[in-house]
Amino acid sequence: MKDVGMKPETLRSATATTSFHAPGHCLQRIADRDTEKGDPQASARIAGILAAKRTDELLPLCHPLPIHAAEVHFHIEAERVVIEAEVHTIGPTGVEMEALTAASMAALTLYDMLKPYAEAEELAIGETRLLDKTGGKSHFTRTLKKPLSATVLMVSDPVADGHKPDTAGRHVLEGLEKAGFAPVDYQLLHDDETQVRKALDAAIAADAQLIVTVGGTGIGPKDRVVEAVEPLLTTPMPGLMEAARAFGQRRTPYAVLSRGVSGFAGNSLVLTFPGSRSGAQETLAALLPSIVHVLEIHQRFAAHAG
């Protein structure tokens, strides 16, 4: 199974359709809700909803998801019944397969309940396909439409002295490049508030659209990145780091120890990531869609003002 543990949970929905073809007298029984086995629409509806809820048991590589809503609708036409299944969840992956499975199971249930009234060649299940889906990367993009400049400041004495490899800052750097940020300046800094402040001032003066510090957000005596960043923020955006901590809290109880702050310093969006690789990875995973969105909005405002 694909690992979706680092994907943020979002509201997702999907609608799928299929069709059940049958002779006119069978379609009339569906309309009248009358077969020897009972109401075909009610039975097929329940079968479809149950199938949506148990798709992960039927398809071996599907993830189990909390199904917050599922419904099956029937539209009786001249030679067929069009079935639409709609499924909603809040989760790290979509519900396309749940909707497709629900529509398919509803059609199979109609077939089972109508087969006593027709020859085998008179009954058929038609094309099954996805009509639409919302949520996830299709609606919350993680890639810029056009490149924006960024600066990554890795703050750590062991890393700056060459005693420890920089896995956290490098992960952020690669993640931003993959998201379309360019050029991305990358610097190694000591745990020195004055040095960090100078690097921040230089990045802001250079009009870096995004500045990410990595490290220095804990409670140690040298963790002074927050103190360097906070006075520079002209438009604080606390919700960003609150979202990152909430995301991290579901993966480790230590996420609450980060004192990270965020906001605009002039035209630069400044974010303060934890210094551990896992902390930086989780923070980037949680915030990248929001980073892309807020920067693109900011660019539109700046262009309009100009």
Side-chain angles (χ1 to χ4, degrees), residues 132-198:
D132 63 68
K133 65 175 183 176
T134 63
K137 64 182 180 181
S138 60
H139 282 73
F140 304 109
T141 182
R142 304 172 71 83
T143 306
L144 292 167
K145 294 175 183 171
K146 63 179 182 179
L148 296 175
S149 62
T151 296
V152 176
L153 305 175
M154 179 64 203
V155 185
S156 167
D157 282 345
V159 172
D161 290 334
H163 299 150
K164 181 180 178 182
D166 178 21
T167 57
R170 282 288 177 183
H171 177 84
V172 175
L173 169 66
E174 293 167 4
L176 293 180
E177 289 178 335
K178 186 177 180 181
F181 285 89
V184 181
D185 183 35
Y186 168 72
Q187 301 177 40
L188 300 179
L189 305 176
H190 286 91
D191 287 303
D192 180 88
E193 186 176 346
T194 301
Q195 186 179 135
V196 172
R197 181 64 178 267
K198 287 181 179 179

